[in-house]
Amino acid sequence: MLIRGSCHCGNLSFTLAWEPDPGEIPARACSCTFCTRHGAVWTSKPDGRLRIAMREPAGVSKYAFGTGTALFHVCARCGIVVVATSEIDGRLYAVVNVNAFDAAVEPLLRRAPVAHDGETLESRLARRQRNWIADVAYA
């Protein structure tokens, strides 16, 4: 399955190759203040392939907070956070916001809350290496 998503105005978009076709897609609602205030709900397929595209790169803001180990890619025009990336040991990992998915994927989503409070930096990065998309490129 090729999942497409984008911000509201279309400046920031992605395609995620998810093979084999999923019976369901886990959707993690992070309880941190950034995700809560933006309504971001994340998913990833560790062996999936993610391609990120920007019509106007200057119109995409990258924001880091807390440990500074993840960059949230936010459209500067419409304000939608679409993807988060983390560079670990020279490799780029990512998660995508299911709220940016095309509507056709909605029935497959299985939403659940998640909290990462109290996680050490080392365990946070190890979790991302295990669970985040590892084949990430900018188109």
Side-chain angles (χ1 to χ4, degrees):
M1 170 182 278
L2 191 62
I3 298 171
R4 298 181 189 282
S6 68
C7 64
H8 192 258
C9 72
N11 186 47
L12 180 58
S13 62
F14 64 84
T15 56
L16 173 58
W18 193 302
E19 301 294 336
D21 286 359
E24 66 180 35
I25 296 173
R28 300 175 299 275
C30 178
S31 63
C32 80
T33 56
F34 181 86
C35 293
T36 300
R37 290 178 183 178
H38 281 86
V41 178
W42 304 103
T43 197
S44 59
K45 170 92 166 109
D47 62 348
R49 188 179 70 254
L50 178 66
R51 297 301 175 255
I52 303 167
M54 294 174 260
R55 285 188 192 158
E56 294 181 34
V60 177
S61 176
K62 294 178 183 175
Y63 177 71
F65 71 101
T67 63
T69 59
L71 288 176
F72 294 86
H73 302 254
V74 182
C75 180
R77 279 196 210 136
C78 65
I80 305 300
V81 59
V82 175
V83 63
T85 59
S86 183
E87 187 173 331
I88 306 167
D89 296 333
R91 185 171 193 163
L92 192 62
Y93 295 85
V95 290
V96 294
N97 185 355
V98 302
N99 292 324
F101 280 7
D102 292 344
V105 182
E106 181 67 30
L108 297 176
L109 297 178
R110 297 300 168 256
R111 296 174 187 262
V114 66
H116 302 296
D117 298 337
E119 193 175 45
T120 67
L121 180 60
E122 293 77 21
S123 63
R124 180 169 300 213
L125 296 178
R127 174 180 48 79
R128 289 178 185 162
Q129 285 179 304
R130 280 190 317 274
N131 299 329
W132 285 26
I133 304 160
D135 183 351
V136 180
Y138 291 94

